[in-house]
């Protein structure tokens, strides 16, 4: 089954404790992206990757890191989480960011709480 | 900077009605526009994608139109059903094909 998976689905942590949220897709997509969703602010793009070893900042990259060492995986790293990073996080992928057939597929989401 | 708005923010209709959701964007230089559905606590499900060169797309009871020059898209839902209750989001892909900007969504309730 073609899908985007995220782990963990739920995470409660404390300020300053490094964490990684994994994202994996099995569709051989080139483009992957991370979003956060907050009430009243909607979905905002954090980082995206056009291909392996190619990443770029979205609208709200502060406090986050990403890496793209393999095509299928795009982990989101919070080196020192803070309470304002409490949010619902989504990973998405599509065939190509520069293609007009660029339909995005989303993972199920990761609900992160930073105390 | 691209901004996307959606009207109305919330909508409640009786079952069977036809309805229209609106999406507006400020920069007409887009690659495509995509409509999503989000159920509470769940991820996003793609409904329709309209390429920048297209005017509309249809899937079952859903029809989405795109007017790039005026910066508008509409999602038409025919014969609404309670199962259509969800939040509907539109997103535009910018002309560089790299960045996606989402609207705040329209929360739809279809009453039996």
């Amino acid at each position: 089954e073609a899908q985007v998976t995220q782990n963990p689905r739920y995470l409660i942590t404390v300020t300053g404790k490094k964490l990684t949220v994994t994202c994996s897709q099995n569709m051989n997509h080139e483009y992957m992206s991370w979003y956060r969703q907050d009430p009243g602010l909607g979905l905002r793009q954090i980082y995206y990757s056009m291909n392996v070893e190619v990443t770029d900042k979205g609208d709200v990259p502060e406090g986050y890191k990403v890496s793209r060492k393999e095509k299928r995986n795009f982990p989101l790293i919070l080196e020192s989480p803070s309470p304002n990073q409490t949010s619902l996080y989504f990973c998405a992928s599509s065939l190509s960011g520069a293609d007009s057939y660029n339909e995005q597929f989303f993972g199920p989401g990761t609900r992160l709480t930073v105390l | 900077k691209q901004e996307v708005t959606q009207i109305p923010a919330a909508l409640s209709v009786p079952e069977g009605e036809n309805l229209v959701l609106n999406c507006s964007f400020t920069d007409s230089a887009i690659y495509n526009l995509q409509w999503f559905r989000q159920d509470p606590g769940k991820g996003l499900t793609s409904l329709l994608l309209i390429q920048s060169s297209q005017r509309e797309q249809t899937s079952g009871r859903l029809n989405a139109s795109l007017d790039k020059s005026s910066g508008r898209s509409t999602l038409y839902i025919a014969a609404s059903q309670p199962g259509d209750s969800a939040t509907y989001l539109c997103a535009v892909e910018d002309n560089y094909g790299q960045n996606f900007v989402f609207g705040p969504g329209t929360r739809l309730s279809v009453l039996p």
Side-chain angles (χ1 to χ4, degrees), chain A residues 74-86:
Chain A
F74 190 44
L76 179 70
I77 304 156
L78 283 72
E79 294 271 4
S80 183
S82 62
N84 64 13
Q85 292 179 298
T86 293

Side-chain angles (χ1 to χ4, degrees), chain A residues 14-86:
Chain A
V14 295
T15 300
K17 186 176 181 181
K18 181 179 178 180
L19 66 91
T20 299
V21 183
T22 64
C23 173
S24 182
Q25 49 90 8
N26 61 1
M27 296 170 278
N28 201 36
H29 283 168
E30 294 176 353
Y31 183 94
M32 297 185 75
S33 182
W34 276 103
Y35 298 87
R36 61 179 288 175
Q37 187 176 35
D38 303 288
L41 296 175
L43 271 151
R44 294 177 292 168
Q45 193 170 37
I46 303 171
Y47 269 96
Y48 61 91
S49 170
M50 299 287 284
N51 213 323
V52 175
E53 302 292 359
V54 180
T55 62
D56 212 340
K57 296 177 180 179
D59 293 324
V60 288
E62 294 76 22
Y64 304 94
K65 285 176 57 177
V66 293
S67 69
R68 188 89 182 274
K69 291 181 168 51
E70 317 166 84
K71 201 171 189 178
R72 65 183 294 128
N73 296 322
F74 190 44
L76 179 70
I77 304 156
L78 283 72
E79 294 271 4
S80 183
S82 62
N84 64 13
Q85 292 179 298
T86 293

Side-chain angles (χ1 to χ4, degrees), chain B residues 4-17:
Chain B
V4 181
T5 56
Q6 291 186 245
I7 293 174
L11 182 63
S12 185
V13 299
E15 181 176 5
E17 278 205 3

Side-chain angles (χ1 to χ4, degrees), chain B:
Chain B
K1 182 184 174 184
Q2 181 75 268
E3 291 183 4
V4 181
T5 56
Q6 291 186 245
I7 293 174
L11 182 63
S12 185
V13 299
E15 181 176 5
E17 278 205 3
N18 303 323
L19 53 97
V20 175
L21 309 181
N22 297 289
C23 172
S24 298
F25 46 95
T26 54
D27 186 348
S28 62
I30 63 170
Y31 263 174
N32 61 42
L33 184 145
Q34 195 168 359
W35 282 93
F36 295 89
R37 164 190 178 132
Q38 185 176 26
D39 294 286
K42 300 284 183 65
L44 279 71
T45 301
S46 177
L47 297 173
L48 290 163
L49 181 145
I50 310 176
Q51 300 168 45
S52 59
S53 58
Q54 296 177 321
R55 297 287 298 215
E56 67 177 340
Q57 282 285 342
T58 298
S59 175
R61 294 182 293 107
L62 306 180
N63 175 277
S65 66
L66 174 64
D67 184 343
K68 256 185 63 172
S69 59
S70 67
R72 293 179 185 175
S73 175
T74 60
L75 178 67
Y76 176 82
I77 303 177
S80 58
Q81 303 171 357
D84 294 331
S85 298
T87 295
Y88 290 80
L89 299 155
C90 69
V92 297
E93 180 180 359
D94 71 22
N95 208 29
Y96 297 103
Q98 297 174 354
N99 199 26
F100 292 86
V101 180
F102 279 79
T106 293
R107 191 170 67 252
L108 173 66
S109 296
V110 181
L111 307 175

